Amino acid sequence: MLTDADSTAPAVTLELIAREAGVSPSTVSRILNGTAKVSADKRLAVEQTIARFNFQPNAMARSLAKGQTYTIGVLTQFIESPFYGEALRGIEDALRRTAYSPLFVSGHWNLAEEEAKMRLLQGRRVDGVIVLTGRLGDEQLLDYAQRLPIVVTGRQLSGPRLVSVDVDDFHGAREATRHLIELGHTRIAFISGPADHPDANERLRGYRQAHVDAGLALVSELVVPADFMETGGMLAIQQLLESRQNFTAVFAANDQMAYGARLALYRRNLRVPDDISLVGYDDLPNSTYLMPPLTTVRQPVYEIGRLAAQAMLKLIAGEAAEIAAPPLELVVRESTRRVRH
Amino acid sequence: MLTDADSTAPAVTLELIAREAGVSPSTVSRILNGTAKVSADKRLAVEQTIARFNFQPNAMARSLAKGQTYTIGVLTQFIESPFYGEALRGIEDALRRTAYSPLFVSGHWNLAEEEAKMRLLQGRRVDGVIVLTGRLGDEQLLDYAQRLPIVVTGRQLSGPRLVSVDVDDFHGAREATRHLIELGHTRIAFISGPADHPDANERLRGYRQAHVDAGLALVSELVVPADFMETGGMLAIQQLLESRQNFTAVFAANDQMAYGARLALYRRNLRVPDDISLVGYDDLPNSTYLMPPLTTVRQPVYEIGRLAAQAMLKLIAGEAAEIAAPPLELVVRESTRRVRH
DNA sequence: CTGTTAGCGCTTTCAA
DNA sequence: TTGAAAGCGCTAACAG
């Protein structure tokens, strides 16, 4: 005898439901989609059989028939990133209670991989894709936008089916540096991001501009390149210390490097902020709990995610959309203080 | 005149490719899937037209025809969680270079939401789902497994199409506590997780057992409940201090609470580890950069993700699968030291 | 208000 | 080796 698990249960399809409820498939479809009025008795019958069979319509078939998948591709860089994670959460929240759901894929800051993922998303016929920064070229993006709506962060670009959001990193870095200068610091080290990273250069520019604004000399030995990772921050401090340059403050181009820098400083018995002031960039969730709590530039990543998803919904609806750049904000916590003379 | 963007471009389908290449749709399909031998010339012609039109087969149609989606649902709890993030990365890595790709959804530790997400995944006809802990009941899981393969973490359960991985939190917490005891601590505070959280209780049990093992008295005032969040850790320290109980060490049931505790201690001018030793649980990526670097119990989350995905692949292939529980490991860093007399 | 009839784009027998 | 034809499960005119 065959057990339930062994026998090939007949797939429960819309057609099965229709038959069991004594109506036509179209009627079931109408009820499912609210496409047209259906008499109360039939509706009841159908609803009951749906419940009885625990019927779950096949989204593939539905997509195929409608030419819409109700899914929005999201190209992030590292699925585990605490930074982009906030954006994903914003996207999820914006999509909750809509018919759409997100499909997350990661590109790992690698052009080829990002392209492959875009191909995957296109194959899956997503209704649009939100690109969280990354390395795809502007023309490439414009090109994708010929076929589907695109919302992209981290650059300024626009086109028929393409909207972008960008934050003003130049401004953010300039403000952060200015904060240090206002506290009396004149020898401020800068731990920079990868030279080929779009944001990294803007932040460096901001750091420099603040010096120019204040009539302060730029000391090239105080700018040390790193990789946006904690280890990079540690190495940078080491290099800075070995260079025997004086400095009373360190501005790291992102919080992760600031964390590394913090630890390296601790190892050398340099106190923050008493000996050295430290500033980060991003305001990762953890930065409130750094010791001491880190002064940093807050990026409204969650908000960006939310706005991006909302804009995408509009684009899909065929409406125009644009996203106002949400402002960066310097969050002064306890890792910076007036320089001691 | 119509521009390219305005005109309704004829969707590029497999049929179009076939026509353009002068072959039948079946031939194109065979080339795409490597399903059968195809003469070199036709293959070439087809490949060229595919390239020319930048053809991307419609995955929906494919899924519908094959009864397989080549996608694996992953039910995580918070998409932005640094902890589960590692598992997602493990899953991504394990799936790379296979035909499958993950579909991430989050349940937010909320039964109703997890159920809704499971329904979503079933509607999308995923070929299997990996459940990262959460609140679904055992019977529920077993029930899902009747319809599709399930791999679940954070519990011990097994069935026809269901495999689970679990770590021994009891053991982990016991070891961590023992470490403290070996350092001479006898009054060890414990910041516990939510009472209805599966892992939280195991960790509490471990903490208690270590005391019993060592013949140490259990002081109930030293156990304070919190919520697995940083704020909870802060509050717990406050409560502990206000209780005027003596303690020389704090064991937090997860790293996030340890972070909060660390900050609260700092605010009260209590030094770690000189005045108070601190131990966490999880070994989040950031814990290496805490100040001082945190002694904690390392959970092999990345590995668990990888193993889960590999097991899923086997289940899908109809093979048997099981996952050996990867061992927890006490990572002794700098937040603990011998008690001072 | 409801059923019938074509597809949506791909895979897969079945013949040739 | 290749093509014709049927079908995967659903939606959407089109009649009635």
Side-chain angles (χ1 to χ4, degrees), chain B residues 173-247:
Chain B
R174 187 177 176 181
E175 288 298 298
T177 311
R178 189 215 307 265
H179 164 65
L180 254 9
I181 293 174
E182 281 172 353
L183 289 175
H185 297 272
T186 56
R187 300 199 50 101
I188 303 170
F190 183 71
I191 305 180
S192 167
D196 64 338
H197 191 110
D199 307 334
N201 295 311
E202 285 301 285
R203 296 179 195 172
L204 176 54
R205 279 213 310 127
Y207 162 83
R208 288 195 173 128
Q209 185 60 245
H211 282 73
V212 173
D213 295 343
L216 244 50
L218 250 354
V219 181
S220 65
E221 288 78 12
L222 286 179
V223 173
V224 354
D227 59 357
F228 271 169
M229 308 299 277
E230 287 86 351
T231 344
M234 296 192 68
L235 259 31
I237 290 296
Q238 185 180 325
Q239 180 177 337
L240 242 13
L241 259 18
E242 282 168 0
S243 78
R244 325 247 1 122
Q245 288 285 332
N246 272 335
F247 58 93

Side-chain angles (χ1 to χ4, degrees), chain A residues 39 59 80 109 144 156 228 232 267:
Chain A
S39 68
E80 75 277 16
W109 286 109
Y144 286 127
Q156 299 186 55
F228 271 168
R267 294 254 179 270

Side-chain angles (χ1 to χ4, degrees), chain B residues 144-163:
Chain B
Y144 286 127
Q146 309 238 151
R147 323 203 117 281
L148 36 59
I150 301 278
V151 173
V152 57
T153 70
R155 69 187 89 191
Q156 298 186 59
L157 200 61
S158 78
R161 258 183 296 284
L162 169 354
V163 352

Side-chain angles (χ1 to χ4, degrees), chain B:
Chain B
M1 175 196 157
L2 290 177
T3 71
D4 244 31
D6 289 329
S7 70
T8 335
V12 10
T13 68
L14 179 147
E15 196 175 321
L16 200 224
I17 299 296
R19 202 178 320 125
E20 290 284 328
V23 301
S24 78
S26 339
T27 300
V28 178
S29 170
R30 290 196 258 259
I31 291 175
L32 252 23
N33 300 288
T35 311
K37 312 219 98 61
V38 172
S39 68
D41 53 332
K42 301 210 188 236
R43 151 165 275 119
L44 187 67
V46 169
E47 277 166 352
Q48 280 175 168
T49 21
I50 286 181
R52 179 152 65 90
F53 285 87
N54 195 255
F55 170 61
Q56 195 64 37
N58 184 324
M60 303 295 127
R62 191 173 136 81
S63 299
L64 188 56
K66 301 201 41 149
Q68 264 191 80
T69 54
Y70 293 103
T71 113
I72 292 174
V74 178
L75 176 60
T76 182
Q77 298 307 322
F78 287 96
I79 191 68
E80 75 277 15
S81 156
F83 181 70
Y84 287 113
E86 289 300 303
L88 304 190
R89 191 165 63 84
I91 292 171
E92 262 189 349
D93 282 358
L95 260 27
R96 172 165 306 158
R97 309 241 132 253
T98 75
Y100 293 84
S101 50
L103 173 53
F104 301 120
V105 300
S106 18
H108 301 122
W109 286 108
N110 174 156
L111 181 58
E113 208 173 335
E114 291 181 44
E115 288 172 339
K117 292 305 168 65
M118 284 302 283
R119 227 169 299 132
L120 177 83
L121 293 177
Q122 286 190 275
R124 288 246 199 292
R125 295 294 187 272
V126 296
D127 295 335
V129 5
I130 299 176
V131 177
L132 299 177
T133 317
R135 300 198 186 277
L136 295 170
D138 286 358
E139 327 65 35
Q140 240 170 327
L141 255 3
L142 254 5
D143 190 57
Y144 286 127
Q146 309 238 151
R147 323 203 117 281
L148 36 59
I150 301 278
V151 173
V152 57
T153 70
R155 69 187 89 191
Q156 298 186 59
L157 200 61
S158 78
R161 258 183 296 284
L162 169 354
V163 352
S164 66
V165 224
D166 197 11
V167 295
D168 191 347
D169 278 326
F170 170 70
H171 175 73
R174 187 177 176 181
E175 288 298 298
T177 311
R178 189 215 307 265
H179 164 65
L180 254 9
I181 293 174
E182 281 172 353
L183 289 175
H185 297 272
T186 56
R187 300 199 50 101
I188 303 170
F190 183 71
I191 305 180
S192 167
D196 64 338
H197 191 110
D199 307 334
N201 295 311
E202 285 301 285
R203 296 179 195 172
L204 176 54
R205 279 213 310 127
Y207 162 83
R208 288 195 173 128
Q209 185 60 245
H211 282 73
V212 173
D213 295 343
L216 244 50
L218 250 354
V219 181
S220 65
E221 288 78 12
L222 286 179
V223 173
V224 354
D227 59 357
F228 271 169
M229 308 299 277
E230 287 86 351
T231 344
M234 296 192 68
L235 259 31
I237 290 296
Q238 185 180 325
Q239 180 177 337
L240 242 13
L241 259 18
E242 282 168 0
S243 78
R244 325 247 1 122
Q245 288 285 332
N246 272 335
F247 58 93
T248 58
V250 174
F251 176 18
N254 78 355
D255 281 3
Q256 281 177 269
M257 296 194 298
Y259 297 170
R262 177 71 191 91
L263 185 57
L265 258 9
Y266 170 74
R267 295 253 180 270
R268 309 297 184 114
N269 284 314
L270 289 167
R271 292 163 304 165
V272 172
D274 305 275
D275 300 319
I276 304 277
S277 282
L278 179 64
V279 175
Y281 201 104
D282 284 348
D283 194 18
L284 296 187
N286 257 302
S287 298
T288 326
Y289 297 97
L290 197 69
M291 295 229 356
L294 185 69
T295 293
T296 185
V297 177
R298 170 158 172 57
Q299 293 220 52
V301 203
Y302 170 83
E303 199 58 19
I304 287 178
R306 247 173 37 87
L307 294 173
Q310 284 168 352
M312 176 53 76
L313 258 13
K314 285 198 171 184
L315 288 183
I316 290 177
E319 300 167 28
E322 60 177 290
I323 310 180
L328 292 166
E329 182 192 352
L330 178 68
V331 183
V332 178
R333 288 202 272 247
E334 301 162 41
S335 64
T336 45
R337 53 158 286 175
R338 181 155 292 282
V339 71
R340 301 155 25 126
H341 293 292

Side-chain angles (χ1 to χ4, degrees), chain A residues 165-211:
Chain A
V165 225
D166 198 10
V167 294
D168 191 346
D169 279 327
F170 170 70
H171 175 74
R174 187 177 174 181
E175 289 299 299
T177 311
R178 189 214 306 265
H179 164 65
L180 254 9
I181 293 173
E182 280 171 354
L183 289 176
H185 297 274
T186 56
R187 301 199 49 101
I188 304 170
F190 183 73
I191 305 180
S192 168
D196 64 339
H197 191 109
D199 307 334
N201 295 311
E202 285 300 286
R203 296 179 195 173
L204 176 53
R205 278 212 311 127
Y207 162 83
R208 287 193 173 131
Q209 185 60 245
H211 281 73

Side-chain angles (χ1 to χ4, degrees), chain A residues 17-205:
Chain A
I17 299 297
R19 200 178 321 125
E20 290 284 329
V23 301
S24 78
S26 341
T27 299
V28 179
S29 171
R30 288 185 185 108
I31 292 175
L32 253 22
N33 300 288
T35 310
K37 312 218 98 61
V38 172
S39 68
D41 54 331
K42 302 212 186 235
R43 150 165 277 119
L44 187 67
V46 169
E47 276 166 352
Q48 280 176 168
T49 26
I50 285 182
R52 179 152 64 91
F53 285 88
N54 196 255
F55 169 61
Q56 196 63 38
N58 185 324
M60 303 295 127
R62 191 172 135 82
S63 299
L64 189 57
K66 301 201 41 147
Q68 264 191 81
T69 54
Y70 293 101
T71 114
I72 293 175
V74 179
L75 176 60
T76 183
Q77 297 308 320
F78 287 96
I79 191 68
E80 75 277 16
S81 156
F83 180 70
Y84 287 113
E86 290 300 304
L88 304 190
R89 191 164 63 84
I91 292 171
E92 262 189 348
D93 282 358
L95 259 27
R96 173 166 305 158
R97 310 239 131 255
T98 74
Y100 293 83
S101 51
L103 173 53
F104 301 120
V105 300
S106 19
H108 301 121
W109 286 109
N110 175 155
L111 181 58
E113 208 173 335
E114 293 182 43
E115 288 172 338
K117 293 304 168 65
M118 285 301 284
R119 227 170 298 134
L120 177 83
L121 293 177
Q122 287 191 277
R124 288 238 195 296
R125 294 297 187 270
V126 296
D127 295 335
V129 5
I130 298 176
V131 177
L132 299 177
T133 317
R135 300 197 187 278
L136 295 170
D138 286 357
E139 326 66 35
Q140 241 170 325
L141 254 3
L142 256 3
D143 191 56
Y144 286 127
Q146 309 239 148
R147 322 203 119 281
L148 37 58
I150 301 278
V151 173
V152 57
T153 70
R155 67 186 92 191
Q156 299 186 55
L157 201 61
S158 79
R161 257 183 297 285
L162 170 353
V163 351
S164 66
V165 225
D166 198 10
V167 294
D168 191 346
D169 279 327
F170 170 70
H171 175 74
R174 187 177 174 181
E175 289 299 299
T177 311
R178 189 214 306 265
H179 164 65
L180 254 9
I181 293 173
E182 280 171 354
L183 289 176
H185 297 274
T186 56
R187 301 199 49 101
I188 304 170
F190 183 73
I191 305 180
S192 168
D196 64 339
H197 191 109
D199 307 334
N201 295 311
E202 285 300 286
R203 296 179 195 173
L204 176 53
R205 278 212 311 127

